[in-house]
Amino acid sequence: MPRIKPIEPPYTPEQERRIQPPTNRAPKVPPLAIFRTFARHPLLQDSIKSLGKFYLAGEIGKGSLLSPRDREIVVDRVCARCGSEYEWGVHVASFAKAVGLTDAQVAATVLGRADDPTWPARDQLLLRFVDELHDGGALSDGLWHAMAAEWSERQLIELLILAGWYHAIAYLTNGVRMELEPWAMRFPPTEARAQAAL
């Protein structure tokens, strides 16, 4: 059971507005538990909704400068490293195929090392980026210089905020013990994760 229960229908018109995702999701699914949980704190929800929209559904020239693929690699790796099966599963089910991630790459966000051969060199930089931030809260000079050759200053700022933002999301989903969405993906089995760690 979640520690903070998401709001349940029937929703008021105001709640209905608040729990809509920042982007259209296919197939059509009920409002996500994460939005229904945030709806317990409307002022906070109002503050954070624009950041989600910026990254996931910004208009051309008004949203993120990152490619959807780069965004999803970072989001999936952050959520995997934080153990947020909820958010990882929602993102993988909603975006992985659309941004061109293979099944092996999706599994590698959870099981693989940053240098896993399933990833091209540029993608490996994103995985190293997440791993270094997760493990030490900072980036080495070597990684920073390698990334600066691939992404602009604005994109690098966006990547740092994106990683931190989904770290916060993982804290929420794990902290309240959010129930998994029935249609979302699940982490690879525990045995596979243990084997990959060897």
Side-chain angles (χ1 to χ4, degrees):
M1 288 293 293
R3 290 169 166 162
I4 298 176
K5 194 171 171 21
I7 64 170
E8 297 286 351
Y11 306 120
T12 67
E14 178 67 13
Q15 288 173 328
E16 195 69 63
R17 181 187 66 78
R18 288 180 181 286
I19 61 179
Q20 294 310 309
T23 183
N24 291 331
R25 195 169 262 107
K28 184 70 175 158
V29 296
L32 298 180
I34 191 165
F35 297 129
R36 295 185 295 116
T37 301
F38 271 128
R40 294 283 185 196
H41 193 328
L43 289 176
L44 178 60
Q45 187 173 34
D46 286 347
S47 297
I48 62 170
K49 202 163 188 179
S50 60
L51 188 57
K53 189 171 185 179
F54 172 84
Y55 278 111
L56 297 175
E59 299 172 32
I60 302 274
K62 294 184 180 177
S64 176
L65 300 172
L66 301 173
S67 74
R69 180 185 171 84
D70 289 352
R71 178 196 73 214
E72 289 306 307
I73 291 170
V74 169
V75 170
D76 294 350
R77 185 63 163 196
V78 167
C79 293
R81 289 298 313 270
C82 291
S84 177
E85 187 171 20
Y86 176 90
E87 193 67 11
W88 180 90
V90 166
H91 269 262
V92 168
S94 300
F95 302 111
K97 287 209 185 323
V99 301
L101 296 181
T102 66
D103 290 344
Q105 289 170 337
V106 167
T109 62
V110 178
L111 303 174
R113 296 164 31 122
D115 61 356
D116 189 303
T118 192
W119 299 106
R122 185 176 181 277
D123 293 347
Q124 289 180 3
L125 290 175
L126 292 171
L127 297 170
R128 285 178 54 204
F129 166 83
V130 171
D131 290 354
E132 284 195 14
L133 286 174
H134 184 83
D135 294 338
L139 297 173
S140 64
D141 288 340
L143 178 57
W144 180 261
H145 292 307
M147 293 193 68
E150 295 287 342
W151 291 275
S152 70
E153 284 185 352
R154 288 183 178 182
Q155 289 173 315
L156 290 169
I157 292 170
E158 285 189 26
L159 285 167
L160 288 163
I161 297 300
L162 179 68
W165 170 235
Y166 277 89
H167 211 119
I169 292 293
Y171 281 177
L172 174 72
T173 63
N174 292 344
V176 303
R177 294 183 181 160
M178 197 167 288
E179 292 182 322
L180 303 179
E181 301 289 350
W183 52 269
M185 294 294 291
R186 300 294 186 262
F187 278 160
T190 304
E191 308 79 52
R193 294 204 300 275
Q195 190 66 24
L198 297 176

